[in-house]
Amino acid sequence: MNPDMLKDLCASVVNRLSLRPTTVEAALLVTLHHFSGESRNPAVAYIGLAPDQYVLRSLSTPRFEATLASAALKAEGREADARLNWEAFVQQEQDTARLAHEALPNTALLADADAIHRIGRQLGLSNEDTDQLVSGIVLTLALGYPYRLADQWHLSLTDLLAQVTTEELLKLLRHAAHTAAGHTDEAAAELRHMQREVR
């Protein structure tokens, strides 16, 4: 790992949030441990990253900084600030995802509300429920954007969203619907099925 990058990141969080350097350094260890745990997910191996490569790439993402800042704020007993910091990050990611979605060409599946609603109706979802779930799916895809496949690194988030197929959207909607309904076993089974297919 690049010690200078970590040092600069910690200094940025210290200055931006008026935190003690020792608190941020301790939160950095917690954050690195969190991302190290994520790095063992089979999806990381699928995109061609070794665990240490995943963690290294994570360092430059807004999610890493937001996680670090929230952990440091909690460590200093500033729970409300930690929550607000995380909510600001999520809002920024939602805005990024929305703008990328709005920029889709008319030919893209995720730009065709009628096609999306037909897929939702196959799963017994109302148009409103489908719209809400698709917004969440777009955000999930946006959050995964920094970890795209090597042959997709040149693509923008809008380009990636434009490549979602009918079959992929059906699976993503099914998983999201199970999750939203609290059917954790079914959602987990659907996720395992999707992960097996991409290996």
Side-chain angles (χ1 to χ4, degrees), residues 29-182:
L29 295 177
V30 171
T31 304
L32 287 169
H33 181 72
H34 172 80
F35 278 82
S36 179
E38 284 185 359
S39 74
R40 289 165 182 75
N41 188 305
V44 173
Y46 164 70
I47 61 175
L49 293 176
D52 58 338
Q53 291 172 314
Y54 174 86
V55 174
L56 187 60
R57 187 176 296 180
S58 298
L59 296 177
S60 61
T61 64
R63 188 167 73 92
F64 188 93
E65 184 172 354
T67 304
L68 171 62
S70 291
L73 287 165
K74 282 181 187 173
E76 288 219 341
R78 294 168 57 184
E79 296 283 341
D81 289 340
R83 188 176 60 255
L84 289 172
N85 179 78
W86 187 255
E87 288 171 359
F89 161 72
V90 171
Q91 184 61 54
Q92 183 179 7
E93 292 299 301
Q94 287 174 338
D95 292 345
T96 299
R98 181 181 48 78
L99 291 172
H101 192 190
E102 288 173 357
L104 286 174
N106 293 335
T107 54
L109 172 62
L110 284 176
D112 186 342
D114 290 336
I116 291 170
H117 291 157
R118 280 194 300 274
I119 294 169
R121 284 194 292 274
Q122 289 178 36
L123 299 172
L125 300 169
S126 70
N127 291 350
E128 295 77 17
D129 288 342
T130 300
D131 290 339
Q132 186 173 6
L133 292 175
V134 166
S135 294
I137 288 168
V138 169
L139 177 60
T140 299
L141 294 172
L143 287 169
Y145 175 71
Y147 312 110
R148 59 203 181 280
L149 294 167
D151 64 349
Q152 297 177 330
W153 288 345
H154 66 287
L155 298 177
S156 70
L157 176 56
T158 296
D159 293 335
L160 283 178
L161 294 177
Q163 292 184 356
V164 173
T165 66
T166 300
E167 185 179 338
E168 289 168 339
L169 183 58
L170 180 64
K171 292 172 186 169
L172 291 167
L173 264 175
R174 187 180 296 123
H175 175 262
H178 284 315
T179 302

Side-chain angles (χ1 to χ4, degrees), residues 171-194:
K171 292 172 186 169
L172 291 167
L173 264 175
R174 187 180 296 123
H175 175 262
H178 284 315
T179 302
H183 303 152
T184 54
D185 290 343
E186 293 91 337
E190 188 66 33
L191 183 59
R192 283 192 303 273
H193 178 68
M194 287 188 288

